[in-house]
Structures are given as structure tokens and as C-alpha cells.
Amino acid sequence: MRFANLDGRAAVVVAGASGDLAVDVAEASGGRFPADPQAVFAHWRAFREWAAWSLDPARGRPFAPEDLGPPVPRPAQVFAIGVNYAAHASEAGYPPETAPVTFTKFPSCLAGPVCEVELPSATVDWEVEMVVAVARECGDVHPVDAWDYVAGITLGQDLSERTSQLAGSKPQFSLAKSFRNFGPTGPWLATPDELDDPCDLAISCSLSGETVQSARTSAMVYSVPELLVRLSRVCRLLPGDLVFTGTPAGVGNARTPKRFIQPGDVLVSELEGVGSITQRFVAGPARAGLPPAER
Ligand code: ZN
């Protein structure tokens, strides 16, 4: 099942004869499930059953990808994992860690799959990532059960302002990765059964036509189950929480010479079995303490 946010309303995406169609969840369920996409996660198990058995695909209507919002628009918690691919840890100069490096992207940075992003500086970098949504409240998850707590998988960019991220003796991961629209996600949430092997998906992104990252999620140091086990030892995980699972090698900050996103660049990210998201970049007003984006 593909779960989407269409114009702020929960929708199920179904395959039509000439392309994807969207079924409005609140209308098609006669109000049994809410219109607010975030609110659906409180009823995820019942919603999945309804979508599997009672949803009428004939109610599907065409839609424009630009009208999709983030499939999980207001998560209570957003976990993000750093250096979760060995090749990226190596290029970034980080030694192997004994636990997942964890920070947050503040939820106000989340955006839909097709959006424009204002560059606050000339040092904004790309990080394509698989993103996991939590299906229901849990703590002390056991690795054998971990996938039962996954509502679905989506694709995200962990856009990162490197100057503020790495300034000072205590890096500012969370703030530097939370500028407006720095967390685009989508195009929808694919339930794990939609994917041939949710543990081994091709993931990539291209900047203005050049492939800059390309890997498989099976190369993650900490797998999805392992991340849920470790995070849930500390925090209760809540329905509709997100986990950005880390980026593979190929970021701009690790290149020689370094390369960052310029105004006019288009970033297209892809995740096998899920789809693609597209961000266009424009120069924004310089933010305090940051060098201005080149115009
Ligand atoms: Zn990241």
C-alpha cells in the first residue's frame, strides 16, 4: 500500500490504467479514518486492514506530484542517523562508531517530494536517505519483531548546511539540518510488503543530471531493526515518528574540491520501489553567521 499526503489530506495511491490515482481516505472510508495524514498513524493497523479489504480503487482520481505533501507531515519525533554507511564514514573522516550517531531534524523542516529550497549559504550539501515511519507506540523493541513496528518506508533528503554544522567545538547537526524545506520526503510511504526486499534497496541522487550518490541500503552499518532496537531502548517510539537512516558516500563536503548546491541546481533522489523526489534550489537571504549563497 502506498500512503500519501495529497493537498494535506490522507490518500492511498493506486495504479490506474494510465498512471497513479489517489483515493481520499476520509471520503472513501465514510469518515472512519481522519483526513489529516498524521492522525491516521494513531489507527495504523485498522487502517491497513481497511485499505487491504475495503478500499475501492475505482474512487481514485488523477493528481499532480507537486500537490503531494510530506507523507508524515508532523511527526512527534524525528530521529536521524549519522555515518551509517561505512564508505560515507570513511569519506567524512569519522572512525567507526560503537553506537549509531543520532540527532534530529526539527519537524518544521519537513517538506513534500517536489519543492523549492532557498539556500541560506553557499555550503549546502545533499544526503539522500531511506526514511522509516513508525507504525505504533513501542519501547524495548526486539530485533525479531522490529519490522512489525514499521508503518512504511519513504525517501528523504537530509539537506545539510555544512558551515554551521561543523562550526565550533560542538557540532550543530540538528540545527544545521533544519533550515526551511531541508527535510523533503516522499513521494509517499510504501508499506514494507510493497517492496521486494525492504532491507536491500537501490538508493541514489543526481545533482543537475550528474549522479552523485548511488548505493544499496543493505550496506547500512545499523540495519532498520537494529536502529529501532537501539532507539527504543532510550525513547518510546510513537506512531508516525520518522527515522532518517543515514546517507551513503558521495556527499559534496567530502569531495576534492568540495562541491555544494548552487542556485539553479536540481536535485533528484530515487529509492527503489518507492519513487523519486525533486528539489530546485534558489538563492535565499543570508542567515546570521553564514556566508551568503552565491547569486
Ligand atoms: Zn544524514
Side-chain angles (χ1 to χ4, degrees):
M1 196 253 302
R2 292 179 288 169
F3 176 76
N5 170 354
L6 181 58
D7 282 325
R9 293 178 64 89
V12 173
V13 177
V14 297
S18 55
D20 288 330
L21 305 171
V23 178
D24 187 275
V25 166
E27 284 178 14
S29 70
R32 183 177 166 201
F33 297 103
D36 174 5
Q38 190 68 42
V40 173
F41 290 95
H43 316 276
W44 190 255
R45 191 177 286 176
F47 168 69
R48 282 291 310 274
E49 282 184 21
W50 170 81
W53 299 106
S54 306
L55 181 141
D56 179 6
R59 300 181 74 117
R61 299 284 175 268
F63 62 94
E66 306 81 65
D67 294 332
L68 293 170
V72 185
R74 299 183 317 282
Q77 305 182 95
V78 180
F79 302 90
I81 307 301
V83 292
N84 200 21
Y85 289 78
H88 172 59
S90 167
E91 73 173 359
Y94 292 112
E97 300 285 349
T98 53
V101 175
T102 308
F103 54 95
T104 192
K105 288 175 80 72
F106 295 106
S108 61
C109 78
L110 294 174
V114 181
C115 66
E116 187 175 272
V117 183
E118 284 191 350
L119 293 166
S121 77
T123 51
V124 174
D125 205 348
W126 55 87
E127 290 194 2
V128 67
E129 306 198 6
M130 180 172 84
V131 181
V132 171
V134 173
R136 59 184 190 277
E137 184 171 346
C138 54
D140 293 324
V141 168
H142 192 278
V144 171
D145 306 328
W147 278 106
D148 295 344
Y149 295 99
V150 175
I153 286 170
T154 190
L155 169 61
Q157 268 286 342
D158 175 19
L159 294 172
S160 303
E161 202 296 304
R162 299 299 189 198
T163 300
S164 52
Q165 179 188 339
L166 302 172
S169 60
K170 305 288 188 292
Q172 293 276 12
F173 276 45
S174 302
L175 205 53
K177 290 163 171 274
S178 295
F179 287 89
R180 186 165 181 265
N181 287 1
F182 268 35
T185 54
W188 35 67
L189 196 68
T191 52
D193 60 295
E194 280 279 315
L195 307 164
D196 289 340
D197 181 355
C199 301
D200 182 26
L201 303 173
I203 186 166
S204 65
C205 72
S206 67
L207 185 67
S208 294
E210 179 190 339
T211 299
V212 287
Q213 292 186 284
S214 180
R216 300 195 70 85
T217 58
S218 51
M220 284 168 39
V221 176
Y222 296 100
S223 65
V224 169
E226 185 70 5
L227 289 175
L228 296 185
V229 166
R230 288 174 179 254
L231 293 172
S232 70
R233 271 185 207 156
V234 178
C235 299
R236 293 291 291 177
L237 304 185
L238 304 172
D241 279 355
L242 291 182
V243 183
F244 281 69
T245 59
T247 200
V251 301
N253 195 45
R255 289 165 184 255
T256 309
K258 292 179 190 292
R259 180 176 172 188
F260 297 109
I261 300 172
Q262 302 292 316
D265 271 337
V266 178
L267 184 64
V268 178
S269 310
E270 292 188 59
L271 180 60
E272 181 181 5
V274 176
S276 69
I277 63 175
T278 301
Q279 277 60 58
R280 294 172 188 281
F281 293 85
V282 297
R287 303 287 170 189
L290 294 175
E294 288 168 27
R295 288 162 197 273

